[in-house]
Amino acid sequence: MKKDNKKVIYWLLTGCFLIFIMVIIGGITRLTDSGLSISNYKLITGTIPPIGDQEWQEAFDLYKQHPEFQAYNNHFNIEDFKSIYFWEWLHRVIGRSIGLVFIIPFIYFLIRKQLTKKTIKKCILLLVLGGFQGFLGWYMVKSGLIDVPDVSHYRLAAHLTTAFITFAATLWVALDLRYPNKKSIQIKFRNLIIWSYLILIIQIIYGAFIAGLKAGLVHNHWPLMNESKFMHHTVYVLEPFYKNLIENPSGIQFIHRTLAYIVVVFILIIWFKARKMSLTALQSKSINALLILVGLQFVLGVFTIIYAVPLWLGVAHQIAAFFLLSAMTFTLHRFSK
């Protein structure tokens, strides 16, 4: 049987789809403050939610022992607890499902010798990334169970960014198999896309910082911040100064706003330069998709700020970021060897 066949490609794309779903559910989990509702980790038995009143009460009693309930949710009853438990449980179940969807077919393809050595190495890297992503999820949750009733925004950023990178890497491997033929490239143009890609990743990290520190709830005006200022004075109040870049909600929102303009400018440059080039149909479509998606993402970001991050807008903004990263990954692949 032919190695690296269509079944392998479909398997990888299925993994991409599940990661996409997991990120959406993760965003809902974060925006509904559900992430600390399950304070233990049971790989197998944790797949089954509490059954019956006694098990639900035991889970609720465990939640009561931790800072989030004591500081924020001490008014919760069992029904309130069930509503936040659901999203965190679903997020974890999808994460476990992704592991099974990767591992079981991988073993099957190995036994049937349907993978080349090069693809095997890439798939092992994907499995490592997926496992690391799962570890970061629990490492993140642990940070909110000790003293402070909020997860570390650094760990949240690491968890989310790793999910995006795992998705992009899986998509790249699938694209390698779908489009195996090499092609000539323009180094300078490819490097421009790489720089744009890196800036987008930094923007995603700052998006996670925004979520972790709830920085979307300050300065809910656009295009200027509060008091009609481009840079509000609260952006640089911390000492030493570098803390404003990574710990100050106002400073982080200012950077996220500014990076949004930079991402748009870079993609506009890519689009204008591409117009002067001889492109394949897929290259042309990928560039146009970039332009459309960055516009959509920018508009969603503006409305998310103006309306102080309602659930549906926050999720839509994260979905658009995912699509934009997908388009950027596809574009880079189409302009790389």
Side-chain angles (χ1 to χ4, degrees):
M1 186 175 289
K2 182 183 176 182
K3 292 188 177 183
D4 293 347
N5 55 44
K6 286 185 178 181
K7 289 182 181 179
V8 177
I9 297 173
Y10 293 148
W11 163 57
L12 293 169
L13 292 178
T14 300
C16 288
F17 176 74
L18 286 174
I19 295 171
F20 169 64
I21 296 299
M22 184 183 72
V23 170
I24 294 174
I25 299 301
I28 296 173
T29 300
R30 179 60 192 166
L31 290 168
T32 55
D33 291 321
S34 303
L36 297 176
S37 57
I38 304 177
S39 49
N40 56 14
Y41 185 82
K42 298 178 180 178
L43 182 60
I44 306 300
T45 57
T47 305
I48 303 173
I51 299 173
D53 293 342
Q54 182 178 345
E55 289 189 11
W56 273 114
Q57 189 60 51
E58 289 173 356
F60 189 31
D61 289 341
L62 183 62
Y63 176 64
K64 290 178 180 179
Q65 298 174 21
H66 295 285
E68 183 177 74
F69 174 83
Q70 296 163 4
Y72 297 146
N73 295 334
N74 49 41
H75 61 285
F76 266 29
N77 58 35
I78 192 76
E79 296 303 319
D80 296 321
F81 172 68
K82 287 179 180 180
S83 68
I84 63 172
Y85 187 100
F86 169 76
W87 290 113
E88 175 63 10
W89 170 80
L90 182 61
H91 186 53
R92 294 190 185 195
V93 167
I94 293 173
R96 291 179 174 94
S97 299
I98 291 172
L100 293 176
V101 167
F102 267 84
I103 293 172
I104 295 175
F106 180 58
I107 293 172
Y108 169 80
F109 290 135
L110 281 177
I111 293 172
R112 297 296 301 272
K113 297 181 179 179
Q114 294 183 22
L115 302 173
T116 62
K117 289 183 179 180
K118 190 174 182 179
T119 301
I120 291 173
K121 291 178 181 178
K122 292 177 182 178
C123 289
I124 290 173
L125 175 60
L126 295 179
L127 288 169
V128 171
L129 278 172
F132 185 57
Q133 159 70 3
F135 163 76
L136 285 175
W138 176 237
Y139 184 61
M140 175 188 70
V141 168
K142 282 185 65 178
S143 66
L145 298 177
I146 304 172
D147 300 314
V148 180
D150 291 294
V151 299
S152 162
H153 68 290
Y154 296 119
R155 298 187 189 186
L156 173 64
H159 182 53
L160 179 64
T161 306
T162 305
F164 274 80
I165 291 173
T166 303
F167 168 85
T170 306
L171 178 60
W172 189 277
V173 176
L175 291 173
D176 277 346
L177 302 185
R178 177 64 181 83
Y179 304 105
N181 296 330
K182 304 296 182 181
K183 54 192 175 298
S184 61
I185 60 170
Q186 294 191 25
I187 301 297
K188 289 185 178 180
F189 189 73
R190 183 207 60 187
N191 290 346
L192 173 63
I193 299 173
I194 290 175
W195 279 108
S196 303
Y197 201 109
L198 292 174
I199 294 169
L200 179 60
I201 292 294
I202 295 172
Q203 176 70 323
I204 289 169
I205 292 171
Y206 268 89
F209 283 173
I210 290 276
L213 293 175
K214 298 183 179 179
L217 302 180
V218 298
H219 308 300
N220 299 114
H221 301 82
W222 187 86
L224 302 175
M225 301 179 86
N226 287 13
E227 300 169 17
S228 299
K229 294 181 179 180
F230 175 70
M231 180 187 290
H232 196 260
H233 66 86
T234 54
V235 167
Y236 44 86
V237 293
L238 296 185
E239 295 290 344
F241 177 77
Y242 77 87
K243 286 191 174 182
N244 293 291
L245 308 179
I246 54 177
E247 294 183 0
N248 178 2
S250 292
I252 286 170
Q253 193 195 107
F254 175 76
I255 293 172
H256 195 56
R257 285 171 176 249
T258 305
L259 282 173
Y261 293 114
I262 294 173
V263 170
V264 170
V265 168
F266 265 78
I267 290 178
L268 282 172
I269 292 172
I270 289 172
W271 187 76
F272 278 113
K273 285 184 175 292
R275 292 183 65 189
K276 302 175 183 179
M277 299 167 57
S278 177
L279 305 178
T280 66
L282 284 176
Q283 287 174 331
S284 180
K285 288 179 180 178
S286 69
I287 296 293
N288 290 333
L290 273 184
L291 187 66
I292 293 169
L293 287 169
V294 79
L296 174 63
Q297 172 67 340
F298 188 89
V299 171
L300 285 171
V302 170
F303 281 106
T304 301
I305 284 293
I306 291 175
Y307 290 103
V309 201
L311 176 61
W312 74 272
L313 263 177
V315 173
H317 187 49
Q318 184 162 302
I319 291 172
F322 209 98
F323 284 150
L324 182 56
L325 181 72
S326 303
M328 188 71 83
T329 302
F330 187 81
T331 302
L332 180 57
H333 193 275
R334 290 297 78 217
F335 286 91
S336 301
K337 285 186 179 179

